[in-house]
Amino acid sequence: MRLHRLRIKAFGPFADEVVIDFDELGADGLFLLHGQTGAGKTTVLDAVAFALYGRVPGARDTTRRLRSDHAASDQAPEVELEATIGSRRLRITRTPEYERPKKRGEGMRKINATASLAWLDGSGPDLTRIPDVGEAVVRLLGMSADQFFQVVLLPQGDFARFLRAHPDEREALLEKLFDTERFGDIEDWLRDRARESATRLSEHAAAVERVAGQIVAISGVPAPAEADFEWAQGCLDAAREAAERTGAELTAAQAAAEQAEAAHRDALRAEGLRRRGVQARDRLAQLEEGAETLAEADRARRLALRAAPIAHLADDHDRLTAEVAEKTVAADRAREALAELAEGRPLCESDCDDATLVAAVDRWTEESGRWEPLARRVAERPRTVADIDELEEAIAAAEREAAGIRELLDAAPARREEAVTALREAEELRAQAPRLRAERDATRRILQAFDDRDQVLDQLAKAERDLLDAREKHTAAREHQLDLRERRLAGMASELARGLVDGEPCVVCGSPDHPAPAAGDEEQVGEADEKRAAADEQAASAIRSIAESEVIALKERRANLDAIVGDADRVATKAELDRLAADLAAAERAAARTPTLREAVERIDAEIDGRRSALADLDSAQSARRERLSGLRESLSALDAEVAEATGGRIGVDERRRELAELCARARRLREARRDAEQARRRLDEVADRLATACAEAGFATVEDVRAALVPPAQIQAWERMLEDAATLRAASEETLADPEVREVLEAPAVDVERLAADLAAARSRRDEAAQRNAVAVQRRTDLDRYVADFWNVLDALAPIQERHAELSGLADLVGGRGQNSRRMSLRSYVLAARLDEVLVAASGRLREMSSGRYEFVHSDTAAVRGRRRGLGIEVRDEYTGAVRPTSTLSGGETFFASLALALGLADVVSAESGGRVLDTIFIDEGFGTLDPEALDLVMGVLDDLRSGGRVVGVVSHVDELRARIPSQLHVVRRENGSTLRVQSPLGVS
């Protein structure tokens, strides 16, 4: 992978857009990335990581605040990276998730992350979905984000911790870098299979025990320590013999019970025949005693049957006699009712017939018909009067409504003029609102500038005091460093003399003899003292630079605020702001009222038009009402005159018609009552003749004899049933006594039925007990047949399951570091140990080069707690002493050697693991400050070897020595309004 171009906008400390041309910056294969603390050196690496994977390394990814706080609120953060990966050139553009102010209303709106990938070489379709872009990058690089962060962005501090870490912590990092999940899956798979096999074995063993327990429960034979086939077969044979024995006993008991049942059945039949014969003789005797009662009942039944047909004629004669009397009374009352009317009295006093009544009814009906048309008109008179009253009331109400409308129309012009004036004033105030708002905002900024300037002046005074103190401390530290350096140079001979060993050559003259080594004083300055003084001077210089930057920034801030304030006065500005706020509030209220006032004017105009139209409609309706009122009054007067002329004023038309209708009705009722009475007398005569004839034919002298012979039908039926029952009993009893078997039983002695019943019950009891014993034995034999077969099946299936479980359990223990695994190391730990061994082999070559051949890595698999081995120990062999010692014994510079070598070795192994892809661009972050000039030369030699292989190496450091050694530099400059970049290459500065 080679990086070509990186563009950053509104990302981290970079507010404005910055562009890095890696082709120009890495032309020599090595460049330096430096800047002040917090300027944004690491953010450049984060931008590369975010462009590729959509996340940043380490804890910085947890906050998810990637958007620059220095950027404008409407500016979106964006990172764009051009790179060549696997011979394919592409451009990736990403924006992180961020929030921006809502365009309408208050609050913030969340903007989702986006990503796009464009193939600059045209080798494929462009991608716009985040998952698709991520999959394409992982597929091309062949490594995950964690692997990339460790291989390309070499975090030296992490590898120093990795070098000295506990094997558990080292295992966690290696698992992130190397895909060992499949080996862990194998361990889990084997462990799960072994667990499942153990469960299956337990289930089959439990099944064997369960079936054996069923056999014990059924047979009652206790099982041996280990149940086998012979024991089960013995239980089954014993059950079969018991079933055969109880079957024979059941057959004998069944035969005895059948014999007892036959004897008891014969005795019961003989006893029944004896009982029937005795009952037949008793019934015949009873019938002889009641013969006279039966004859009397038969005679009364015959009389009742002859009187029954005559009874309804006697009832009809009584009913018709009462009906003739009733009809005669009704006719008399109808004649009296007609005589109550003046015109009907003459008819009742004379002996009028039906023809006379019919003629009178026709005359009265004809007269009523002549009055009908006038009656209809009279019936409509109340409605006409009501219509007249209603019209008069409507005319009066319309007059009042028209007067009210005229009053409102007279007052409407004044109201409209008042509304128009208010609308004009509100529109004038609304037009002033934009100007007042702009003046208010400008005045508010000036007033805020007064407060900000007071704060800046206080901060500037404190910053100048801190700067003065930092300058004094830096001067003192610088003088102390120079003093120690002069004292060390003065005592350098004695320092070399202390390092001489008898028999070994001097590093200056080469002589193995040291006759007069130089002696120094007790306060000799050493290398460590000088380094501490240099570090103190660098720290004081950094603090001084920070203080100077802060003073410059505050002065610039004060100048900006002075320009905003100008010649303004705080009190006058505050008063002007209050006045503008009040005027603006009044203008805004007027603007808010403008639509309402405009609607009021339009509403008044519509009201005037509507009332004028309503007044015209009222006038038109009044004319129609007056015309109709005049016509109704004329019609009413004509009707009253016609009625007075027709009735002569005695009664009204309706009263006369009701009187004629009543005369007709009463005459008809009299005629109908006379007819009904005559018909009832004729029917009575007919029934009397028929009744006399029927009595004579039935042999009754009078009607009273008929009524004395009558009885209810139920009594007749009861007599008939009694006679029939007596005849039936006599015939049945005689037939029973005539039966030869009954006669034989009556002549023979009685049978002891109770003794035979007791014998039968005893035989049945013995049979039931035998059947129960046989059913239990047969069921036991059936159950044992089934369970013994099941016992054979489960025993046959148990043996292969035991063998399979032993095999799986042994294999799971082996890959889990247990059982026959003598190294006590799991499969995953073994694979990680092999990967670590490859890393140490690759790192040892660079460590020997950087340490001048003194150190190399050694892989350790020392046993841990409880004998567990992880195989992830790291030690170093010191070629000077030949001893192997822990990495914690290395000095600071040696630790940096080892960490860098380990990081580069791990990068080589991970690169090979990901398919052998060449990583043309890598970054090394910090750690060079612990090296002396000689060690730095060795490290630079290793970096030269890296770039000679075609790689581009970016070094992230603030060590001044590297600025002189590496001409290509990317300087991150920290500013108040956001950081920016300055590129320095052999071709110049941009």
CSV table of all heavy atoms in Angstrom, one decimal, residues 444-458 561 565 570:
chain,number,residue,atom,x,y,z
A,444,ARG,N,-25.3,44.9,20.1
A,444,ARG,CA,-25.1,43.8,21.0
A,444,ARG,C,-23.6,43.3,20.9
A,444,ARG,O,-23.0,42.9,21.9
A,444,ARG,CB,-26.1,42.7,20.8
A,444,ARG,CG,-26.0,41.5,21.7
A,444,ARG,CD,-27.0,40.5,21.4
A,444,ARG,NE,-28.4,41.0,21.6
A,444,ARG,CZ,-29.5,40.4,21.2
A,444,ARG,NH1,-29.4,39.3,20.5
A,444,ARG,NH2,-30.7,40.9,21.5
A,445,ARG,N,-23.1,43.2,19.7
A,445,ARG,CA,-21.7,42.7,19.5
A,445,ARG,C,-20.7,43.7,20.1
A,445,ARG,O,-19.7,43.2,20.7
A,445,ARG,CB,-21.4,42.5,18.0
A,445,ARG,CG,-22.1,41.3,17.4
A,445,ARG,CD,-21.5,41.0,16.0
A,445,ARG,NE,-21.8,42.0,15.0
A,445,ARG,CZ,-22.9,42.1,14.3
A,445,ARG,NH1,-23.8,41.1,14.4
A,445,ARG,NH2,-23.1,43.0,13.5
A,446,ILE,N,-21.0,45.0,20.0
A,446,ILE,CA,-20.1,45.9,20.6
A,446,ILE,C,-20.1,45.8,22.1
A,446,ILE,O,-19.0,45.8,22.8
A,446,ILE,CB,-20.5,47.4,20.2
A,446,ILE,CG1,-20.2,47.5,18.7
A,446,ILE,CG2,-19.7,48.4,21.0
A,446,ILE,CD1,-20.8,48.9,18.1
A,447,LEU,N,-21.3,45.6,22.7
A,447,LEU,CA,-21.4,45.5,24.1
A,447,LEU,C,-20.7,44.2,24.6
A,447,LEU,O,-20.1,44.2,25.7
A,447,LEU,CB,-22.9,45.5,24.6
A,447,LEU,CG,-23.2,45.6,26.1
A,447,LEU,CD1,-22.6,46.9,26.6
A,447,LEU,CD2,-24.7,45.6,26.3
A,448,GLN,N,-20.9,43.1,23.9
A,448,GLN,CA,-20.2,41.9,24.2
A,448,GLN,C,-18.7,42.0,24.1
A,448,GLN,O,-17.9,41.4,24.9
A,448,GLN,CB,-20.7,40.7,23.3
A,448,GLN,CG,-20.1,39.3,23.6
A,448,GLN,CD,-20.5,38.9,25.0
A,448,GLN,OE1,-21.6,39.1,25.4
A,448,GLN,NE2,-19.5,38.2,25.7
A,449,ALA,N,-18.2,42.8,23.1
A,449,ALA,CA,-16.8,43.0,23.0
A,449,ALA,C,-16.2,43.7,24.2
A,449,ALA,O,-15.1,43.5,24.6
A,449,ALA,CB,-16.5,43.9,21.7
A,450,PHE,N,-17.0,44.7,24.8
A,450,PHE,CA,-16.5,45.3,26.1
A,450,PHE,C,-16.2,44.2,27.1
A,450,PHE,O,-15.1,44.2,27.8
A,450,PHE,CB,-17.6,46.3,26.6
A,450,PHE,CG,-17.5,47.6,25.9
A,450,PHE,CD1,-18.5,48.0,25.1
A,450,PHE,CD2,-16.5,48.5,26.2
A,450,PHE,CE1,-18.5,49.3,24.5
A,450,PHE,CE2,-16.4,49.7,25.5
A,450,PHE,CZ,-17.5,50.1,24.7
A,451,ASP,N,-17.2,43.3,27.3
A,451,ASP,CA,-17.0,42.2,28.3
A,451,ASP,C,-15.8,41.3,28.0
A,451,ASP,O,-15.0,41.0,28.8
A,451,ASP,CB,-18.2,41.4,28.5
A,451,ASP,CG,-19.4,42.2,29.0
A,451,ASP,OD1,-19.1,43.3,29.6
A,451,ASP,OD2,-20.6,41.9,28.7
A,452,ASP,N,-15.7,40.9,26.7
A,452,ASP,CA,-14.6,40.0,26.3
A,452,ASP,C,-13.3,40.7,26.4
A,452,ASP,O,-12.3,40.1,26.8
A,452,ASP,CB,-14.8,39.6,24.8
A,452,ASP,CG,-16.1,38.7,24.7
A,452,ASP,OD1,-16.6,38.2,25.7
A,452,ASP,OD2,-16.5,38.6,23.5
A,453,ARG,N,-13.2,42.0,26.1
A,453,ARG,CA,-11.9,42.7,26.3
A,453,ARG,C,-11.5,42.8,27.7
A,453,ARG,O,-10.3,42.6,28.0
A,453,ARG,CB,-12.1,44.1,25.7
A,453,ARG,CG,-10.7,44.9,25.6
A,453,ARG,CD,-10.9,46.2,24.9
A,453,ARG,NE,-11.8,47.1,25.6
A,453,ARG,CZ,-12.0,48.4,25.2
A,453,ARG,NH1,-11.5,48.8,24.1
A,453,ARG,NH2,-12.9,49.1,25.9
A,454,ASP,N,-12.4,43.0,28.7
A,454,ASP,CA,-12.0,42.9,30.1
A,454,ASP,C,-11.4,41.6,30.5
A,454,ASP,O,-10.4,41.5,31.2
A,454,ASP,CB,-13.3,43.2,30.9
A,454,ASP,CG,-13.8,44.7,30.7
A,454,ASP,OD1,-13.0,45.5,30.2
A,454,ASP,OD2,-14.9,44.9,31.1
A,455,GLN,N,-12.1,40.5,30.0
A,455,GLN,CA,-11.5,39.2,30.3
A,455,GLN,C,-10.2,39.0,29.7
A,455,GLN,O,-9.2,38.4,30.3
A,455,GLN,CB,-12.5,38.1,29.8
A,455,GLN,CG,-13.8,38.1,30.6
A,455,GLN,CD,-14.8,37.1,30.0
A,455,GLN,OE1,-14.4,36.3,29.1
A,455,GLN,NE2,-16.0,37.0,30.5
A,456,VAL,N,-10.0,39.4,28.4
A,456,VAL,CA,-8.7,39.2,27.7
A,456,VAL,C,-7.6,40.0,28.4
A,456,VAL,O,-6.5,39.6,28.5
A,456,VAL,CB,-8.9,39.6,26.2
A,456,VAL,CG1,-7.5,39.7,25.5
A,456,VAL,CG2,-9.7,38.6,25.5
A,457,LEU,N,-7.9,41.2,28.9
A,457,LEU,CA,-6.9,42.0,29.6
A,457,LEU,C,-6.4,41.3,30.8
A,457,LEU,O,-5.2,41.3,31.1
A,457,LEU,CB,-7.5,43.4,29.9
A,457,LEU,CG,-7.7,44.3,28.7
A,457,LEU,CD1,-8.4,45.6,29.1
A,457,LEU,CD2,-6.4,44.7,28.0
A,458,ASP,N,-7.4,40.7,31.6
A,458,ASP,CA,-7.0,40.0,32.8
A,458,ASP,C,-6.1,38.8,32.4
A,458,ASP,O,-5.1,38.5,33.0
A,458,ASP,CB,-8.2,39.5,33.5
A,458,ASP,CG,-9.0,40.7,34.1
A,458,ASP,OD1,-8.4,41.8,34.2
A,458,ASP,OD2,-10.2,40.5,34.4
A,561,LEU,N,-10.7,42.9,19.4
A,561,LEU,CA,-11.8,43.4,20.2
A,561,LEU,C,-11.8,45.0,20.2
A,561,LEU,O,-12.8,45.6,20.2
A,561,LEU,CB,-11.7,42.9,21.7
A,561,LEU,CG,-12.0,41.4,21.8
A,561,LEU,CD1,-11.8,40.9,23.2
A,561,LEU,CD2,-13.5,41.1,21.4
A,565,VAL,N,-14.8,47.5,19.3
A,565,VAL,CA,-15.3,48.6,20.2
A,565,VAL,C,-15.2,50.0,19.6
A,565,VAL,O,-16.1,50.8,19.6
A,565,VAL,CB,-14.6,48.4,21.5
A,565,VAL,CG1,-15.0,49.6,22.4
A,565,VAL,CG2,-15.0,47.1,22.2
A,570,ARG,N,-19.5,52.4,26.9
A,570,ARG,CA,-20.2,51.2,27.4
A,570,ARG,C,-21.6,51.6,27.8
A,570,ARG,O,-22.6,51.0,27.5
A,570,ARG,CB,-19.5,50.6,28.5
A,570,ARG,CG,-20.1,49.3,29.0
A,570,ARG,CD,-19.6,48.8,30.3
A,570,ARG,NE,-18.2,48.5,30.2
A,570,ARG,CZ,-17.7,47.2,30.0
A,570,ARG,NH1,-18.6,46.3,29.9
A,570,ARG,NH2,-16.4,47.0,29.9
